[in-house]
Amino acid sequence: MPLYFFHVREGSDLHRDAEGRDLSDVEAARREAINSVREIISEKLLHGGALNNRSIEIADETGHVVDVIYSREVLLKDGGLCTYADDIVQSAPTKSPPK
């Protein structure tokens, strides 16, 4: 499996991932980066800090950046909040149980 690195950029600072993760393809790496950005955002909401100006750069084994996931694109899409298939609210029952 290919090895992908997830470098976290906060403004002009870049925190390099030295270990990386073996994932099946770029799409799997993209999902992993989205989940990581969501975790970063949740920590910032809980403990304070700016939500924007952060991104994760996905690099392959050669160091080539294959994609960049920005915090703003994880939060907002087409003027509304983003939803994902793995959101906990997506798996919650939509109908009340019978009484």
Side-chain angles (χ1 to χ4, degrees), residues 12-24:
S12 61
D13 295 331
L14 182 64
H15 307 280
R16 294 191 171 276
D17 174 7
E19 296 178 19
R21 286 199 61 186
D22 290 316
L23 295 165
S24 58

Side-chain angles (χ1 to χ4, degrees), residues 47-81:
H47 299 292
L51 298 179
N52 58 356
N53 211 18
R54 286 183 173 71
S55 62
I56 292 185
E57 297 177 2
I58 306 168
D60 63 15
E61 295 174 4
T62 68
H64 174 72
V65 175
V66 296
D67 203 351
V68 179
I69 306 299
Y70 298 94
S71 58
R72 67 181 170 270
E73 77 179 24
V74 170
L75 287 173
L76 302 170
K77 181 177 182 181
D78 300 328
L81 293 174

Side-chain angles (χ1 to χ4, degrees), residues 1-8 17 20-39 55-61 64-70 73-74 84 86:
M1 270 199 256
L3 184 63
Y4 294 95
F5 297 89
F6 301 90
H7 308 310
V8 178
D17 174 7
R21 286 199 61 186
D22 290 316
L23 295 165
S24 58
D25 56 22
V26 174
E27 188 53 39
R30 189 174 201 292
R31 284 191 304 272
E32 184 71 21
I34 288 170
N35 286 335
S36 294
V37 168
R38 292 169 74 190
E39 288 177 23
S55 62
I56 292 185
E57 297 177 2
I58 306 168
D60 63 15
E61 295 174 4
H64 174 72
V65 175
V66 296
D67 203 351
V68 179
I69 306 299
Y70 298 94
E73 77 179 24
V74 170
Y84 298 90
D86 65 342

